[in-house]
Amino acid sequence: MRAAFRIVASLTSLAVIVQVGLAGYGAFNAIDTADKRSVTKKTIENGFDPHGIVGTIVLVLMLILLIVALAARYKIRIAAILFGLGIVQLLLAAGGTSAAWVGFFHGVNALAIAGIAGSLAGNEWRAARVASTT
């Protein structure tokens, strides 16, 4: 089960990295499009569609990570915190469409998620390497 936890933690971290990249794509796609034609709200939303899709995948991976943690009785607290931050991220994304200032917190929360997910995955691989050498 710990191997499954390590793999899901790694996939979650990787998906978060892709997610951040897609946020950048959405922003710069709007700028690039504005150079060619007028930009509508729909144009901007279309640029962020991949970000939204991967965001859903990230949340599902966080849920799977929590389920694996519960089944293994291993690192439940950190998996629950990560899933909780994922739920907050979803709410901040929804709120950001109505109040732009909420988008600031969406970005800050994303950094927390990326840090925790990356640290978790790295620590799990380090622990597996240490365990395999002893």
Side-chain angles (χ1 to χ4, degrees):
M1 278 305 251
R2 287 192 180 182
F5 184 87
R6 182 176 65 248
I7 290 167
V8 176
S10 299
L11 290 173
T12 303
S13 180
L14 177 62
V16 169
I17 293 167
V18 171
Q19 174 74 346
V20 170
L22 290 172
Y25 169 81
F28 289 104
N29 180 62
I31 293 168
D32 184 50
T33 302
D35 287 341
K36 298 172 188 156
R37 62 181 189 275
S38 67
V39 177
T40 64
K41 182 178 180 183
K42 187 65 180 163
T43 305
I44 294 170
E45 288 172 348
N46 287 345
F48 279 97
D49 282 348
H51 177 74
I53 292 166
V54 174
T56 302
I57 293 168
V58 168
L59 195 57
V60 168
L61 285 168
M62 290 174 174
L63 178 60
I64 292 169
L65 185 67
L66 180 57
I67 291 167
V68 172
L70 288 166
R73 296 185 186 277
Y74 180 72
K75 296 203 176 180
I76 296 169
R77 190 172 120 189
I78 193 70
I81 289 169
L82 199 55
F83 182 67
L85 288 172
I87 296 296
V88 169
Q89 191 71 344
L90 180 70
L91 296 172
L92 290 171
T97 61
S98 300
W101 63 269
V102 176
F104 171 83
F105 296 104
H106 181 73
V108 170
N109 193 54
L111 291 173
I113 290 169
I116 292 169
S119 293
L120 180 61
N123 289 339
E124 289 303 306
W125 283 102
R126 187 171 23 266
R129 278 193 307 273
V130 169
S132 71
T133 60
T134 54

